[in-house]
Amino acid sequence: MSLTSEQVRKVASLARLELSDAELSDLGAKLGQTLDYVARLNELDTDGVEPLVHAIELSNVLRPDVLAPSLPRDRGLANAPRTDGKHFLVPAILEG
Amino acid sequence: MSSLLNLPAAELVTRLAAGDVTSAALTEECLAAISQRDSSVRAFLNVDVERSLAQARSIDARRAAGESIGILQGLPIAVKDLICEEGVSCTCASRMLENYISPYSAHVIERLRAAGAVLVGRANMDEFAMGSSGENSAFQVTANPWDLERTPGGSSSGSAAAVAGRLTPMSLGSDTGGSIRQPASLCGVVGLKPTYGRVSRYGLVAFASSLDQIGPFASDVHGAALLLEAMAGHDPRDSTSVDRPVPSYTNSLNEPLKGLRIGVAREHFAEGLDDEVAEVVRRALDVYRSLGAELIDIELPHSKYAVAVYYLIAPSEASSNLARYEGIHYGHRTEKAGSLADLYARSRGEAFGTEVKRRIMLGVYALSSGYYDQYYVKALKVRRLIRNDFDAAFAKVDVIAGPVTPSTAFKLGERTSDPMAMYLSDIYTIPANLAGIPGISIPAGLSPSGLPVGLQLQAAPFAEETLLRAARMFEAATDHHRLIPPMARS
Amino acid sequence: MSYDVIIGLEVHVQLQTVSKIFCGCSTAFNPDQPNVQTCPVCLGLPGALPVLNAEAFRLAVKTALALNCQIAGFTKWDRKQYFYPDLPKGYQISQYDLPFSHDGHVDVVTEADGGAVRRVRILRAHLEEDAGKNMHDESGRGRDSLVDLNRAGTPLVEIVTHPDLRSAEEARLFLQDLRLLLTDIGVSDCNMQEGSLRCDANVNLHVHQPDGSKVATPIVEVKNINSFRFTEQAILHEVERQWELYQKTKQTIKDAPKSTRGFDPARGVTYAMREKEEAADYRYFPDPDLVPVTVTDEQIATLRGELGELPAARRARYRDQYQLSAYDAGVIIDQGREYSRYFEVVAEGCGDGKQAANWLTQDVQRELNERGLTIATFPVPADVLADLLKRVTNKQLTIKAAREVFGALLEGEETATTARIEAIVAERGLAIVQDDGAIDAAIADVIARNPKPVADFKAGKQQAAGALIGQVMRAVKGADPQQVRERLIAKLSE
């Protein structure tokens, strides 16, 4: 099976990935191949099997409510593509 | 003169500790080797000569002043370029993070510095650790020191090649589906993936959080044990880090295991395994038998589903872990954005490579409304069945022995157009990540065509000590780990 | 045709922890210094990992218990995925299918004197991280938006009600009760100006049809309302708007999906928010960086014990025990638990709950406001005020004299003491003179010297007594005017 370009476009939009036409068609085919391959899981009856998120199952890992040093602002912003020295800058967010 | 870099790690540490060799001299030798040979291996993305020499000299000065140096004694180490170090670039071999400098250090970096490591440089890899050949690096393709036309494996390509090419005695990698063990096997070095939670992931750039573990590469088992010992242990900054004591892996390393029970799974020798690899692995099993180990047939009936499970879980987690790269808080930002929506899609579209895009797309698809139960939850259920297989096996045996990868190093370019073929090269390594168990690849000899073949040993959760001792038994009885690629012989 | 108003609320409450939910950065409100309370974890930097704040979880469970919720024995963390500049990881750590609590209720008193009660069922309460803050260019010139991540990672409890509220006023009363409850148990300051309590309202109408059936209008979610008054205004406007729209279009819930609107407080209207290009698909899945939390019955019992007496119970007790009006009880309880404790010490100490309530709701409240103090920093401790008021109940001081002492206590540099009361009363001769003989002698003297007013009084001019009382009071410093009045009138009436 191959995903239609419509399906691929929808997933790309959710993933926030701008794709070229060549990438769209390649992805449709390659994703289709992978989905065909993983379909073998349907051979297995997994009713009543508890999903396993972590192989080593821990619980109740908590930290005390104490302050730790924050990063100085200039270091927190150092990798940002655009700042005003105090904030991260982004193109105008339209809400109205 | 015979290069220090041809010496096993155990001996280097002894000489450093005794003051016979200085860290600066050893580091200089590494830097010289890199400048001579890395133009053909291309293992390093970044080498900081001044900084590593300064670290080495400072360690030597401390030793001269009678201060205690950690167990690494000034050994130079290469670090896969997805483990953060304060003030150092961390690109993940991606255009996305080409200019990213981490403002903080990973737990393992702090531990290694405290243990007396000299961090010489950053090793190449598949972009965001997605790949099995190193060819997904946005910057360069690393070659296998045994045959420069061939892949070193991946995703920890540079880390494996640096050790195999005798550029550094040890390195750090990360293993999500085999990314340490597979390149270790293809490059003829030792590579270990610890139990999930044994080594803190704090500061390891995430690919698939429930599968990722940092682990060591070294030219021998002692080196791997030493490096693991230096970095294992609880870290309160990683919720999945397990709070449990770390034994001294090096202390017990040379004690052979009496009555060792080795599990051999039929599934590891089924179709897909190259004959020349199967032959080397069978000979390795014979070595163990000759050492008094008992070989026991076991079954891992769900292992044939592991690749399918992995290619749902890992991309799902990756699609989420990589959502943070959007050109706002850090990372590549497109020059062509009009609106905010364009900025996201274009920045990501421009800066991620093809394989990363494929996996993000697959993950988004598997988690999206209407498919979640069919794909993601189903994969988690089969994941438990795979874990149960291992639990049953380890009730009967101490370690499981088998191949690491179905073939020896393939030619660069050979599989880049066929992702499924590439994915299947991790068929024997993926189950350990899904089950959280430790696994090691040790050199088991060369194929008839002269390429390294690894033997994989796997053990129960937190049984690294058993795993390393079993590995050392084999190593002590063979000479495979002393094989050095022709290009690295000095 | 008439209609019922159907309202459900989603309330976000910031918990009062020192540090953020998954890292050690401060949660202090600090809009003037953007991006200083951030670290690799809350900036979502590559490689950083979250670890749950134990206090955030504890306060969350207390919150849920105060809302009469069931606490789950096992709860986990999920990623809610969407892209927005105030969300640096590209997902919010939240709870999806296994929230830590569910199925509670709050009884809202909807009539002033406790007449009607509306039970608002709580569907669930879950714990999550807050996002940062985006600031938009208000000039309309489309300049860059600014992102401040100080707030990112502040612990939030999201409380989701069933659609049980039936008017804008009920919604406001619910929120006021909720704020009282949560500030009283100390889990949140619920400061709406600072965004510690924020509300989304889901509103629609059930329109009565001629055949007796009801038709539901499409549901509208009004987002991010940040005051009680605005909540009421937004809902009132939304109800009016939906009713007009229904009459025009007859559109029902089957014809249109849920839509999202904002509220413009300046114009008092709701406005359509830009619809997203595709329907939201948050792709929730368990966060592999965090592990589940389990809660035992013993832990729940301990936390329940720590809740103490909740405001509704205290309100009832104040009415029974101190005969307070619902209004006075409300004023005191609304000031918080410490204020209530202060009141109780004063009421018990002076033996007159109503007098204590009068003082607290008037004199004490006024001084707190004027001096910008809280009850914790008020310089007259509860036992000292109790001592002062006891002198009034015991007829040792007049109310007027007590006010004078109270004022003098506040002028002092130090914290007031009972010894200081004693001293002020003595210095200023404020004690009521209990000497009946002296008073009677003064009365006799005043009557003798003022034949005209005496005659006037006897002729029926009651007000003539005033001047006589004044003269007696001047003659006997510290006499109780009430007592003087009674004895003078008795004498004149002989």
Side-chain angles (χ1 to χ4, degrees):
Chain A
M1 115 183 171
S2 185
L3 295 187
T4 65
S5 62
E6 206 33 59
Q7 284 175 302
V8 179
R9 251 184 264 276
K10 190 175 164 244
V11 176
S13 152
L14 266 178
R16 299 293 188 279
L17 280 175
E18 189 173 85
L19 300 173
S20 66
D21 289 346
E23 284 178 318
L24 275 172
S25 74
D26 169 75
L27 275 163
K30 300 282 161 55
L31 290 182
Q33 275 177 28
T34 310
L35 292 173
D36 286 342
Y37 179 81
V38 303
R40 66 179 54 201
L41 296 183
N42 297 325
E43 294 164 12
L44 290 170
D45 178 3
T46 52
D47 284 356
V49 178
E50 196 56 35
L52 182 66
V53 175
H54 286 117
I56 307 298
E57 293 178 286
L58 302 176
S59 59
N60 301 330
V61 175
L62 301 143
R63 48 171 275 270
D65 182 25
V66 289
L67 290 180
S70 295
L71 280 179
R73 183 199 279 145
D74 57 338
R75 290 175 63 204
L77 295 179
N79 284 295
R82 261 172 72 72
T83 77
D84 62 0
K86 287 184 171 181
H87 303 89
F88 299 92
L89 297 191
V90 292
I93 302 168
L94 305 172
E95 283 202 323
Chain B
M1 146 193 136
S2 155
S3 170
L4 288 171
L5 296 174
N6 289 341
L7 296 174
E11 192 167 340
L12 281 176
V13 167
T14 312
R15 289 201 191 182
L16 284 165
D20 297 345
V21 176
T22 63
S23 175
L26 182 56
T27 303
E28 273 168 22
E29 205 163 319
C30 285
L31 295 169
I34 292 167
S35 75
Q36 281 159 26
R37 297 199 287 274
D38 201 43
S39 54
S40 44
V41 179
R42 298 179 297 272
F44 284 90
L45 289 171
N46 181 10
V47 176
D48 194 331
V49 173
E50 291 313 314
R51 196 163 149 277
S52 32
L53 282 173
Q55 283 176 23
R57 290 189 192 115
S58 140
I59 288 168
D60 290 333
R62 280 165 46 212
R63 193 189 338 267
E67 288 175 41
S68 83
I69 311 298
I71 61 170
L72 296 176
Q73 302 288 352
L75 276 178
I77 290 174
V79 177
K80 187 176 182 179
D81 201 19
L82 83 172
I83 298 172
C84 296
E85 181 178 358
E86 186 181 335
V88 172
S89 123
C90 183
T91 69
C92 301
S94 178
R95 294 274 170 225
M96 181 57 86
L97 293 178
E98 193 167 0
N99 300 309
Y100 181 79
I101 310 280
S102 178
Y104 76 102
S105 286
H107 178 78
V108 294
I109 296 293
E110 293 173 354
R111 293 289 297 267
L112 292 194
R113 296 294 297 271
V118 173
L119 306 176
V120 288
R122 311 282 297 180
N124 192 30
M125 55 185 280
D126 283 298
E127 182 179 6
F128 285 106
M130 297 177 190
S132 307
S133 70
E135 291 160 291
N136 298 328
S137 169
F139 305 119
Q140 65 195 37
V141 175
T142 301
N144 190 320
W146 288 91
D147 177 347
L148 298 174
E149 307 272 288
R150 292 179 186 269
T151 177
S155 66
S156 308
S157 320
S159 304
V163 174
R166 298 307 189 265
L167 305 176
T168 56
M170 295 181 183
S171 62
L172 284 191
S174 68
D175 190 316
T176 306
S179 284
I180 290 174
R181 291 159 290 157
Q182 184 255 20
S185 174
L186 301 191
C187 289
V189 298
V190 177
L192 185 151
K193 179 203 96 72
T195 306
Y196 186 79
R198 180 74 292 185
V199 176
S200 169
R201 293 184 297 116
Y202 188 79
L204 166 70
V205 179
F207 160 16
S209 312
S210 79
L211 303 167
D212 297 340
Q213 269 293 289
I214 295 172
F217 285 95
S219 54
D220 64 355
V221 175
H222 186 98
L226 188 69
L227 197 44
L228 179 64
E229 198 173 312
M231 64 185 169
H234 183 237
D235 175 12
R237 294 169 298 184
D238 173 1
S239 306
T240 63
S241 162
V242 177
D243 191 1
R244 166 184 181 132
V246 179
S248 170
Y249 300 118
T250 47
N251 274 356
S252 58
L253 196 60
N254 286 308
E255 297 166 26
L257 291 153
K258 291 207 178 64
L260 177 66
R261 299 168 300 164
I262 296 182
V264 179
R266 188 161 37 92
E267 293 82 0
H268 285 160
F269 297 89
E271 75 164 293
L273 180 64
D274 278 7
D275 290 341
E276 43 178 54
V277 174
E279 182 51 34
V280 173
V281 173
R282 286 208 176 88
R283 280 207 308 268
L285 294 176
D286 290 340
V287 170
Y288 274 112
R289 198 181 282 119
S290 73
L291 293 169
E294 184 188 358
L295 268 51
I296 298 169
D297 285 336
I298 56 157
E299 287 191 352
L300 299 170
H302 297 96
S303 60
K304 65 175 171 178
Y305 299 104
V307 173
V309 169
Y310 178 83
Y311 277 95
L312 289 169
I313 293 175
S316 295
E317 293 183 11
S319 70
S320 176
N321 286 331
L322 272 62
R324 64 188 64 196
Y325 307 109
E326 20 78 315
I328 290 175
H329 308 95
Y330 45 83
H332 172 79
R333 181 185 286 201
T334 180
E335 309 264 305
K336 293 184 286 186
S339 68
L340 181 64
D342 289 345
L343 184 147
Y344 283 123
R346 284 204 189 124
S347 298
R348 291 162 63 78
E350 289 169 7
F352 286 139
T354 305
E355 185 59 27
V356 171
K357 286 179 188 167
R358 276 184 201 136
R359 299 212 195 178
I360 290 174
M361 293 285 286
L362 185 55
V364 167
Y365 184 79
L367 292 176
S368 63
S369 166
Y371 297 103
Y372 178 77
D373 288 326
Q374 178 189 344
Y375 289 120
Y376 182 72
V377 176
K378 180 80 182 182
L380 290 183
K381 289 178 166 193
V382 181
R383 182 178 190 180
R384 187 172 294 275
L385 298 177
I386 290 167
R387 171 65 198 262
N388 292 347
D389 285 354
F390 280 111
D391 287 348
F394 289 120
K396 293 191 287 190
V397 301
D398 304 306
V399 296
I400 296 170
V404 182
T405 178
S407 68
T408 52
F410 44 91
K411 286 250 168 77
L412 288 166
E414 193 180 297
R415 295 187 187 170
T416 43
S417 60
D418 186 356
M420 257 339 290
M422 192 75 92
Y423 298 169
L424 287 169
S425 65
D426 292 332
I427 188 163
Y428 305 124
T429 47
I430 280 172
N433 298 86
L434 295 174
I437 62 172
I440 191 169
S441 172
I442 52 176
L446 300 182
S447 68
S449 45
L451 291 169
V453 176
L455 172 72
Q456 179 171 225
L457 300 176
Q458 301 177 85
F462 301 100
E464 278 85 356
E465 191 179 356
T466 304
L467 191 68
L468 287 160
R469 284 169 69 186
R472 177 60 193 151
M473 276 170 74
F474 178 83
E475 188 182 75
T478 61
D479 270 335
H480 307 306
H481 67 289
R482 296 188 198 281
L483 296 171
I484 294 174
M487 65 97 59
R489 287 172 202 157
S490 42
Chain C
M1 250 193 307
S2 64
Y3 56 81
D4 303 324
V5 178
I6 310 295
I7 304 161
L9 299 180
E10 289 169 23
V11 186
H12 288 90
V13 180
Q14 286 184 353
L15 297 176
Q16 256 174 328
T17 51
V18 173
S19 65
K20 292 184 179 181
I21 183 168
F22 296 120
C23 66
C25 289
S26 168
T27 55
F29 180 66
N30 188 8
D32 297 334
Q33 292 172 281
N35 294 303
V36 295
Q37 285 151 213
T38 57
C39 74
V41 177
C42 57
L43 287 170
L45 295 188
L49 295 171
V51 183
L52 181 63
N53 182 337
E55 180 67 3
F57 190 75
R58 201 182 73 88
L59 295 181
V61 173
K62 276 182 87 167
T63 303
L65 288 172
L67 302 175
N68 303 296
C69 284
Q70 305 291 311
I71 305 299
F74 176 98
T75 190
K76 69 175 175 76
W77 312 97
D78 301 286
R79 294 182 180 179
K80 178 182 183 178
Q81 311 194 65
Y82 62 95
F83 288 89
Y84 211 56
D86 60 11
L87 191 70
K89 298 189 296 297
Y91 57 84
Q92 177 191 29
I93 302 175
S94 180
Q95 301 199 282
Y96 182 50
D97 54 338
L98 295 173
F100 79 90
S101 77
H102 57 93
D103 292 315
H105 64 265
V106 174
D107 289 329
V108 180
V109 178
T110 52
E111 276 174 21
D113 248 322
V117 165
R118 170 77 68 197
R119 172 156 291 195
V120 181
R121 290 168 302 151
I122 307 293
L123 181 65
R124 58 185 278 164
H126 68 253
L127 183 55
E128 62 187 22
E129 58 178 343
D130 206 346
K133 203 162 166 49
N134 299 325
M135 283 149 288
H136 312 300
D137 176 22
E138 306 285 350
S139 72
R141 267 170 269 170
R143 282 194 289 238
D144 283 353
S145 295
L146 313 177
V147 185
D148 172 11
L149 296 180
N150 278 349
R151 198 180 70 181
T154 301
L156 279 186
V157 171
E158 178 174 336
I159 299 161
V160 183
T161 79
H162 281 274
D164 288 349
L165 292 155
R166 290 292 172 269
S167 71
E169 189 195 11
E170 280 186 17
R172 174 177 54 77
L173 290 169
F174 168 81
L175 288 174
Q176 285 172 338
D177 271 12
L178 186 68
R179 179 176 67 171
L180 174 59
L181 184 62
L182 301 187
T183 52
D184 193 85
I185 62 171
V187 297
S188 175
D189 64 15
C190 293
N191 184 328
M192 294 189 87
Q193 281 78 45
E194 296 182 0
S196 313
L197 192 157
R198 312 193 290 274
C199 172
D200 303 336
N202 286 289
V203 182
N204 76 335
L205 308 179
H206 285 179
V207 182
H208 299 234
Q209 301 299 308
D211 66 359
S213 67
K214 291 178 191 174
V215 165
T217 61
I219 296 174
V220 170
E221 181 176 7
V222 188
K223 299 282 273 185
N224 280 324
I225 318 173
N226 65 357
S227 91
F228 296 141
R229 197 159 51 88
F230 294 163
T231 305
E232 195 166 6
Q233 286 175 1
I235 295 171
L236 281 174
H237 176 264
E238 195 46 36
V239 166
E240 206 175 296
R241 193 189 67 82
Q242 287 187 23
W243 174 235
E244 280 173 20
L245 191 70
Y246 175 78
Q247 287 173 304
K248 257 188 267 173
T249 64
K250 299 287 179 224
Q251 237 188 13
T252 75
I253 197 163
K254 290 180 192 128
D255 306 319
K258 176 170 155 174
S259 59
T260 303
R261 298 178 73 82
F263 177 65
D264 178 354
R267 294 184 295 145
V269 299
T270 65
Y271 58 88
M273 292 175 85
R274 211 161 58 124
E275 297 292 327
K276 302 224 172 84
E277 286 132 48
E278 74 273 343
D281 184 347
Y282 292 122
R283 290 166 284 126
Y284 280 101
F285 80 109
D287 191 331
D289 288 332
L290 289 161
V291 300
V293 176
T294 59
V295 186
T296 63
D297 290 347
E298 291 72 36
Q299 288 169 316
I300 295 172
T302 305
L303 286 173
R304 204 186 293 282
E306 286 174 20
L307 286 180
E309 185 186 47
L310 297 179
R314 200 177 315 139
R315 195 179 285 134
R317 181 163 65 83
Y318 284 6
R319 268 181 290 186
D320 296 346
Q321 193 175 333
Y322 302 117
Q323 288 78 50
L324 300 196
S325 68
Y327 177 81
D328 280 350
V331 171
I332 290 168
I333 291 165
D334 278 355
Q335 299 300 314
R337 199 166 270 201
E338 201 157 356
Y339 201 87
S340 300
R341 254 196 303 272
Y342 187 103
F343 160 74
E344 289 177 33
V345 171
V346 177
E348 294 297 331
C350 77
D352 182 348
K354 274 175 136 168
Q355 177 168 227
N358 285 341
W359 275 74
L360 261 86
T361 56
Q362 293 164 34
D363 305 77
V364 174
Q365 197 54 54
R366 186 188 61 240
E367 295 296 334
L368 290 178
N369 291 344
E370 280 176 9
R371 290 160 194 264
L373 298 173
T374 67
I375 200 69
T377 55
F378 192 56
V380 182
D383 59 331
V384 175
L385 183 60
D387 178 86
L388 181 63
L389 299 195
K390 191 168 183 188
R391 291 166 194 256
V392 178
T393 357
N394 290 350
K395 300 202 183 298
Q396 294 166 291
L397 278 182
T398 62
I399 297 229
K400 188 161 164 269
R403 289 223 162 86
E404 189 177 336
V405 174
F406 183 67
L409 289 174
L410 285 168
E411 277 155 27
E413 298 277 300
E414 285 148 24
T415 302
T417 59
T418 48
R420 185 88 190 100
I421 294 178
E422 202 65 59
I424 294 167
V425 169
E427 275 164 29
R428 306 195 181 188
L430 295 173
I432 289 175
V433 172
Q434 294 289 358
D435 185 343
D436 288 355
I439 293 172
D440 286 348
I443 286 173
D445 181 49
V446 167
I447 289 175
R449 289 194 287 107
N450 294 282
K452 173 99 173 51
V454 170
D456 286 351
F457 181 83
K458 287 190 171 166
K461 278 191 173 174
Q462 294 277 324
Q463 63 269 39
L468 299 173
I469 291 167
Q471 289 191 39
V472 177
M473 293 295 291
R474 276 193 292 277
V476 191
K477 281 232 161 83
D480 178 3
Q482 191 61 34
Q483 195 193 354
V484 169
R485 181 183 187 86
E486 279 164 17
R487 297 189 88 88
L488 177 76
I489 289 171
K491 191 78 186 167
L492 290 175
S493 311
E494 270 171 12

